[in-house]
C-alpha cells in the first residue's frame, strides 16, 4: 500500500485522501533520511558524553553541579 496524503480544506472542512505522488514520495524519503541522521547524531553525542563522564569519573549530576 502506498503512503497517502490527506488534504483538508479549512473553509469547507472537505477532506481528500489520495495516494502520494512521486514528488511527495521522494520528499518522504528525504525526510526519513534526515530523521535517521538526526537520531544518529544525537546517539553519537550521548555516547561521547557518557564516555567523557566515565573518563572523568563523575556522574551526570556531578557534571551539572560543576557547570552551574
Amino acid at each position: 500500500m502506498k503512503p497517502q496524503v490527506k488534504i483538508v480544506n479549512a473553509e469547507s472542512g472537505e477532506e481528500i485522501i489520495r495516494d502520494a505522488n512521486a514528488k511527495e514520495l521522494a520528499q518522504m524519503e528525504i525526510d526519513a533520511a534526515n530523521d535517521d541522521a538526526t537520531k544518529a547524531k544525537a546517539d553519537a553525542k550521548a555516547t561521547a558524553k557518557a564516555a567523557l563522564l566515565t573518563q572523568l569519573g563523575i556522574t551526570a549530576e556531578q557534571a551539572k553541579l560543576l557547570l552551574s
Side-chain angles (χ1 to χ4, degrees):
M1 183 173 167
K2 287 178 79 173
Q4 295 188 321
V5 175
K6 181 178 183 178
I7 301 170
V8 179
N9 183 323
E11 291 180 12
S12 67
E14 176 187 13
E15 295 182 4
I16 299 172
I17 299 175
R18 61 172 174 76
D19 289 342
N21 61 35
K23 186 176 180 180
E24 292 163 336
L25 288 171
Q27 186 62 51
M28 287 177 192
E29 289 178 12
I30 290 168
D31 293 344
N34 287 340
D35 289 345
D36 291 345
T38 300
K39 288 176 188 173
K41 188 175 180 179
D43 289 346
K45 184 176 179 180
T47 301
K49 181 179 177 180
L52 179 59
L53 291 173
T54 300
Q55 183 180 5
L56 294 172
I58 62 175
T59 66
E61 291 79 22
Q62 290 169 327
K64 286 179 186 177
L65 275 173
L66 289 171
L67 296 173
S68 63

